[in-house]
Short mmCIF file of all heavy atoms in Angstrom, two decimals:
data_model
loop_
_atom_site.label_atom_id
_atom_site.label_comp_id
_atom_site.label_asym_id
_atom_site.label_seq_id
_atom_site.Cartn_x
_atom_site.Cartn_y
_atom_site.Cartn_z
N TRP A 65 -18.45 4.29 9.78
CA TRP A 65 -19.66 3.73 9.21
C TRP A 65 -19.36 2.61 8.22
O TRP A 65 -20.14 1.65 8.10
CB TRP A 65 -20.50 4.83 8.55
CG TRP A 65 -21.47 5.41 9.55
CD1 TRP A 65 -21.32 6.53 10.30
CD2 TRP A 65 -22.73 4.84 9.92
NE1 TRP A 65 -22.40 6.71 11.12
CE2 TRP A 65 -23.29 5.68 10.91
CE3 TRP A 65 -23.44 3.72 9.52
CZ2 TRP A 65 -24.52 5.43 11.49
CZ3 TRP A 65 -24.68 3.46 10.11
CH2 TRP A 65 -25.21 4.30 11.07
N GLN A 78 -20.13 12.70 -0.50
CA GLN A 78 -21.49 12.37 -0.11
C GLN A 78 -21.84 12.90 1.27
O GLN A 78 -22.87 12.57 1.82
CB GLN A 78 -21.67 10.85 -0.12
CG GLN A 78 -21.54 10.23 -1.51
CD GLN A 78 -21.54 8.71 -1.44
OE1 GLN A 78 -21.12 8.14 -0.45
NE2 GLN A 78 -21.98 8.07 -2.49
N SER A 79 -20.97 13.72 1.84
CA SER A 79 -21.15 14.13 3.23
C SER A 79 -21.77 15.51 3.35
O SER A 79 -21.92 16.02 4.45
CB SER A 79 -19.80 14.11 3.95
OG SER A 79 -18.91 15.03 3.32
N THR A 80 -22.09 16.14 2.24
CA THR A 80 -22.61 17.49 2.32
C THR A 80 -24.02 17.50 2.92
O THR A 80 -24.80 16.56 2.75
CB THR A 80 -22.66 18.15 0.93
OG1 THR A 80 -23.54 17.40 0.11
CG2 THR A 80 -21.29 18.21 0.30
N TRP A 81 -24.31 18.54 3.58
CA TRP A 81 -25.62 18.69 4.21
C TRP A 81 -26.73 18.77 3.16
O TRP A 81 -27.84 18.29 3.36
CB TRP A 81 -25.60 19.95 5.08
CG TRP A 81 -26.87 20.28 5.78
CD1 TRP A 81 -27.64 21.38 5.60
CD2 TRP A 81 -27.49 19.52 6.81
NE1 TRP A 81 -28.73 21.35 6.42
CE2 TRP A 81 -28.66 20.21 7.20
CE3 TRP A 81 -27.19 18.31 7.43
CZ2 TRP A 81 -29.52 19.76 8.18
CZ3 TRP A 81 -28.05 17.85 8.42
CH2 TRP A 81 -29.19 18.57 8.78
N GLN A 82 -26.43 19.35 2.01
CA GLN A 82 -27.45 19.55 0.99
C GLN A 82 -27.82 18.25 0.27
O GLN A 82 -28.98 18.05 -0.10
CB GLN A 82 -26.97 20.59 -0.04
CG GLN A 82 -26.79 21.99 0.51
CD GLN A 82 -25.47 22.15 1.27
OE1 GLN A 82 -24.62 21.26 1.23
NE2 GLN A 82 -25.33 23.26 1.98
N ASN A 83 -26.83 17.36 0.06
CA ASN A 83 -27.10 16.19 -0.77
C ASN A 83 -26.26 15.01 -0.31
O ASN A 83 -25.22 14.70 -0.88
CB ASN A 83 -26.79 16.50 -2.25
CG ASN A 83 -27.16 15.36 -3.16
OD1 ASN A 83 -28.00 14.54 -2.83
ND2 ASN A 83 -26.51 15.31 -4.32
N PRO A 84 -26.68 14.32 0.74
CA PRO A 84 -25.86 13.23 1.28
C PRO A 84 -25.79 12.00 0.37
O PRO A 84 -24.85 11.22 0.47
CB PRO A 84 -26.58 12.88 2.59
CG PRO A 84 -27.98 13.33 2.37
CD PRO A 84 -27.90 14.55 1.52
N GLU A 85 -26.77 11.79 -0.50
CA GLU A 85 -26.75 10.70 -1.48
C GLU A 85 -26.73 9.31 -0.86
O GLU A 85 -26.27 8.35 -1.48
CB GLU A 85 -25.59 10.86 -2.46
CG GLU A 85 -25.67 12.14 -3.29
CD GLU A 85 -24.55 12.27 -4.30
OE1 GLU A 85 -23.71 11.35 -4.37
OE2 GLU A 85 -24.50 13.27 -5.02
N TYR A 86 -27.20 9.17 0.36
CA TYR A 86 -27.43 7.85 0.93
C TYR A 86 -28.73 7.89 1.72
O TYR A 86 -29.16 8.96 2.18
CB TYR A 86 -26.26 7.38 1.79
CG TYR A 86 -25.88 8.30 2.93
CD1 TYR A 86 -26.54 8.23 4.16
CD2 TYR A 86 -24.86 9.23 2.78
CE1 TYR A 86 -26.18 9.08 5.20
CE2 TYR A 86 -24.49 10.07 3.81
CZ TYR A 86 -25.16 9.99 5.03
OH TYR A 86 -24.82 10.82 6.06
N ALA A 87 -29.36 6.74 1.87
CA ALA A 87 -30.63 6.69 2.60
C ALA A 87 -30.40 7.10 4.05
O ALA A 87 -29.46 6.64 4.71
CB ALA A 87 -31.20 5.28 2.52
N HIS A 88 -31.26 7.96 4.57
CA HIS A 88 -31.02 8.51 5.90
C HIS A 88 -32.30 9.10 6.48
O HIS A 88 -33.28 9.35 5.76
CB HIS A 88 -29.97 9.62 5.81
CG HIS A 88 -30.43 10.80 4.99
ND1 HIS A 88 -30.36 10.81 3.62
CD2 HIS A 88 -31.00 11.98 5.36
CE1 HIS A 88 -30.85 11.94 3.16
NE2 HIS A 88 -31.26 12.68 4.18
N THR A 89 -32.25 9.30 7.77
CA THR A 89 -33.23 10.13 8.47
C THR A 89 -32.53 11.43 8.83
O THR A 89 -31.42 11.41 9.36
CB THR A 89 -33.75 9.44 9.73
OG1 THR A 89 -34.36 8.20 9.37
CG2 THR A 89 -34.77 10.32 10.45
N LYS A 90 -33.19 12.53 8.55
CA LYS A 90 -32.58 13.84 8.79
C LYS A 90 -33.20 14.49 10.02
O LYS A 90 -34.42 14.44 10.22
CB LYS A 90 -32.78 14.74 7.57
CG LYS A 90 -32.14 16.12 7.69
CD LYS A 90 -32.32 16.90 6.40
CE LYS A 90 -31.66 18.28 6.48
NZ LYS A 90 -31.77 19.02 5.20
N PHE A 91 -32.33 15.10 10.82
CA PHE A 91 -32.77 15.85 11.99
C PHE A 91 -32.29 17.29 11.85
O PHE A 91 -31.13 17.54 11.51
CB PHE A 91 -32.22 15.23 13.27
CG PHE A 91 -32.61 13.78 13.42
CD1 PHE A 91 -31.74 12.77 13.03
CD2 PHE A 91 -33.84 13.43 13.93
CE1 PHE A 91 -32.09 11.44 13.16
CE2 PHE A 91 -34.21 12.10 14.05
CZ PHE A 91 -33.34 11.10 13.67
N THR A 92 -33.16 18.23 12.10
CA THR A 92 -32.84 19.64 11.91
C THR A 92 -32.33 20.27 13.20
O THR A 92 -32.51 19.72 14.30
CB THR A 92 -34.06 20.41 11.42
OG1 THR A 92 -35.06 20.41 12.46
CG2 THR A 92 -34.64 19.80 10.15
N LEU A 100 -31.70 12.53 18.89
CA LEU A 100 -30.45 11.95 18.43
C LEU A 100 -30.10 10.66 19.16
O LEU A 100 -30.39 10.51 20.36
CB LEU A 100 -29.31 12.96 18.59
CG LEU A 100 -29.46 14.27 17.82
CD1 LEU A 100 -28.28 15.19 18.10
CD2 LEU A 100 -29.60 14.00 16.32
N LEU A 101 -29.43 9.75 18.44
CA LEU A 101 -28.94 8.49 18.99
C LEU A 101 -27.45 8.35 18.72
O LEU A 101 -26.92 8.96 17.77
CB LEU A 101 -29.68 7.31 18.35
CG LEU A 101 -31.19 7.21 18.63
CD1 LEU A 101 -31.78 6.04 17.82
CD2 LEU A 101 -31.44 7.02 20.12
N GLY A 103 -24.11 7.35 17.13
CA GLY A 103 -23.80 7.00 15.75
C GLY A 103 -24.34 7.98 14.74
O GLY A 103 -23.92 7.95 13.58
N ASP A 104 -25.27 8.84 15.14
CA ASP A 104 -25.77 9.86 14.21
C ASP A 104 -24.63 10.79 13.81
O ASP A 104 -23.73 11.08 14.60
CB ASP A 104 -26.89 10.67 14.86
CG ASP A 104 -28.18 9.87 15.00
OD1 ASP A 104 -28.28 8.78 14.39
OD2 ASP A 104 -29.09 10.33 15.72
N ILE A 105 -24.70 11.27 12.56
CA ILE A 105 -23.65 12.12 12.01
C ILE A 105 -24.07 13.57 12.18
O ILE A 105 -25.01 14.04 11.53
CB ILE A 105 -23.39 11.80 10.53
CG1 ILE A 105 -23.02 10.31 10.38
CG2 ILE A 105 -22.27 12.67 9.97
CD1 ILE A 105 -22.97 9.84 8.93
N LEU A 106 -23.36 14.28 13.05
CA LEU A 106 -23.69 15.67 13.35
C LEU A 106 -22.89 16.61 12.46
O LEU A 106 -21.70 16.39 12.22
CB LEU A 106 -23.40 15.98 14.83
CG LEU A 106 -24.50 15.62 15.84
CD1 LEU A 106 -24.88 14.15 15.75
CD2 LEU A 106 -24.07 15.98 17.26
N HIS A 107 -23.56 17.66 11.97
CA HIS A 107 -22.94 18.65 11.09
C HIS A 107 -22.88 19.99 11.79
O HIS A 107 -23.87 20.42 12.41
CB HIS A 107 -23.74 18.78 9.79
CG HIS A 107 -23.68 17.55 8.93
ND1 HIS A 107 -24.23 16.35 9.30
CD2 HIS A 107 -23.11 17.35 7.70
CE1 HIS A 107 -24.02 15.46 8.35
NE2 HIS A 107 -23.34 16.04 7.37
N ALA A 116 -19.10 15.12 13.06
CA ALA A 116 -18.68 14.29 14.18
C ALA A 116 -19.73 13.22 14.41
O ALA A 116 -20.86 13.31 13.89
CB ALA A 116 -18.48 15.12 15.43
N LEU A 117 -19.39 12.19 15.16
CA LEU A 117 -20.34 11.14 15.53
C LEU A 117 -20.88 11.41 16.93
O LEU A 117 -20.11 11.66 17.87
CB LEU A 117 -19.66 9.77 15.49
CG LEU A 117 -19.45 9.11 14.14
CD1 LEU A 117 -18.78 7.76 14.33
CD2 LEU A 117 -20.76 8.94 13.39
N TYR A 144 -24.21 23.83 15.76
CA TYR A 144 -24.90 22.65 15.24
C TYR A 144 -25.93 23.04 14.17
O TYR A 144 -26.70 23.98 14.34
CB TYR A 144 -25.60 21.93 16.40
CG TYR A 144 -26.47 20.77 16.02
CD1 TYR A 144 -25.93 19.63 15.43
CD2 TYR A 144 -27.84 20.80 16.27
CE1 TYR A 144 -26.73 18.55 15.11
CE2 TYR A 144 -28.65 19.71 15.96
CZ TYR A 144 -28.09 18.60 15.37
OH TYR A 144 -28.89 17.53 15.04
N GLY A 146 -27.59 20.28 12.25
CA GLY A 146 -28.48 19.15 12.06
C GLY A 146 -27.70 17.85 11.99
O GLY A 146 -26.48 17.83 12.20
N ALA A 147 -28.40 16.74 11.71
CA ALA A 147 -27.76 15.43 11.73
C ALA A 147 -28.41 14.49 10.73
O ALA A 147 -29.56 14.67 10.33
CB ALA A 147 -27.82 14.84 13.13
N PHE A 148 -27.64 13.46 10.35
CA PHE A 148 -28.14 12.37 9.53
C PHE A 148 -27.98 11.07 10.30
O PHE A 148 -26.99 10.85 10.99
CB PHE A 148 -27.36 12.25 8.21
CG PHE A 148 -27.61 13.38 7.25
CD1 PHE A 148 -26.54 14.00 6.61
CD2 PHE A 148 -28.88 13.80 6.96
CE1 PHE A 148 -26.76 15.02 5.71
CE2 PHE A 148 -29.11 14.82 6.06
CZ PHE A 148 -28.05 15.43 5.43
N ARG A 149 -28.96 10.19 10.13
CA ARG A 149 -28.85 8.81 10.63
C ARG A 149 -28.93 7.89 9.42
O ARG A 149 -30.01 7.70 8.84
CB ARG A 149 -29.98 8.49 11.60
CG ARG A 149 -29.93 7.07 12.18
CD ARG A 149 -31.05 6.87 13.18
NE ARG A 149 -30.94 7.83 14.26
CZ ARG A 149 -31.98 8.21 15.02
NH1 ARG A 149 -33.19 7.73 14.79
NH2 ARG A 149 -31.79 9.10 15.98
N PRO A 150 -27.79 7.32 8.97
CA PRO A 150 -27.83 6.43 7.81
C PRO A 150 -28.75 5.24 8.06
O PRO A 150 -28.81 4.70 9.18
CB PRO A 150 -26.37 5.98 7.66
CG PRO A 150 -25.58 7.08 8.30
CD PRO A 150 -26.43 7.55 9.45
N LEU A 151 -29.47 4.84 7.03
CA LEU A 151 -30.38 3.71 7.12
C LEU A 151 -29.72 2.49 6.49
O LEU A 151 -29.39 2.49 5.31
CB LEU A 151 -31.69 4.03 6.40
CG LEU A 151 -32.43 5.28 6.89
CD1 LEU A 151 -33.71 5.48 6.10
CD2 LEU A 151 -32.72 5.19 8.38
#
Side-chain angles (χ1 to χ4, degrees):
W65 269 97
Q78 295 172 332
S79 61
T80 62
W81 179 244
Q82 294 80 10
N83 185 23
E85 298 182 1
Y86 57 85
H88 64 278
T89 300
K90 182 176 181 177
F91 303 97
T92 66
L100 300 179
L101 295 176
D104 288 347
I105 302 171
L106 276 56
H107 292 67
L117 282 180
Y144 175 64
F148 290 133
R149 180 177 301 156
L151 303 180

